[in-house]
Amino acid sequence: MKAVKAKNQVDRPVTESVLDEAIERGRLRRNSGLQATAVTFLEPCLAVSFEDGSGVLLPVKCYPEFDDFRTQDFAGLKVGFSGTALCHEGKDLQISIAGMISASKPLMDMAASVVASRNGRQSSAAKAEAARANGRKGGRPRKVEVAL
C-alpha cells in the first residue's frame, strides 16, 4: 500500500468564504458515494458496512498497518473522516477505506468488470442516432466472408 505524506498547510484565517468553501467540499465528498457507517472485527477479517446496507470483508493479514494489532485492539477501530477512513486513536492510525479496497486485486477486478458492464449499457446521443440510421437502412449490414 502506498504511504501518502501529509502536506504542510499554511494557516489561513477562517473567513465566511473559507468556511463556505469547506462546507461545499464536505457536501461534495459526502455525495461521492463511499460512506462507511460501521466496522467490525470478524476474525480474520474486518467487516466494513456502508450507508446502503452493503458491506465488504477485508482480511487484516493483507494490510501491514494491522501487523501490530492484537484482537482487543480491533475493538478501538472506528469509522472516521465522514465515512471514508478507519481510525484508531490509540495506535494513531488513519487508513483510507478506498485505499484498502484498491489494494485487493480481486475486488479491483470485480469493480472493473462492474464499471465496464455499466459503461457498455450507456448510449450516447451519437450512438443512438447511428442505431436509428442503421434501423432505417434495414439494420446492421450482414458480414461478408471473403474467400481466399
Side-chain angles (χ1 to χ4, degrees):
M1 187 169 288
K2 181 180 173 186
V4 177
K5 195 165 187 105
K7 296 178 184 175
N8 288 336
Q9 296 289 326
V10 177
D11 289 336
R12 289 174 39 185
V14 179
T15 63
E16 285 295 321
S17 65
V18 170
L19 188 57
D20 290 340
E21 288 172 19
I23 290 170
E24 184 58 27
R25 280 194 313 271
R27 192 173 295 125
L28 290 172
R29 172 183 255 179
R30 177 122 175 95
N31 294 335
S32 69
L34 187 68
Q35 299 295 315
T37 56
V39 60
T40 309
F41 181 62
L42 303 171
E43 195 166 348
C45 296
L46 288 174
V48 181
S49 304
F50 297 99
E51 277 184 327
D52 66 352
S54 65
V56 64
L57 288 175
L58 301 168
V60 295
K61 68 178 176 147
C62 296
Y63 306 100
E65 293 84 359
F66 299 115
D67 285 349
D68 64 339
F69 270 59
R70 295 185 314 271
T71 303
Q72 59 269 27
D73 292 331
F74 287 104
L77 207 55
K78 305 287 181 217
V79 174
F81 293 97
S82 298
T84 62
L86 300 181
C87 306
H88 193 288
E89 206 167 300
K91 299 272 189 181
D92 193 29
L93 174 75
Q94 296 86 33
I95 183 169
S96 162
I97 296 169
M100 292 176 72
I101 291 171
S102 69
S104 169
K105 180 155 176 31
L107 284 176
M108 288 307 294
D109 290 346
M110 181 182 66
S113 175
V114 169
V115 168
S117 173
R118 178 176 284 176
N119 287 343
R121 280 186 257 138
Q122 292 179 348
S123 182
S124 67
K127 280 173 77 176
E129 180 54 38
R132 282 191 290 275
N134 280 339
R136 285 190 292 270
K137 295 179 199 173
R140 183 182 294 260
R142 299 254 184 234
K143 289 186 180 179
V144 178
E145 292 188 24
V146 178
L148 296 177

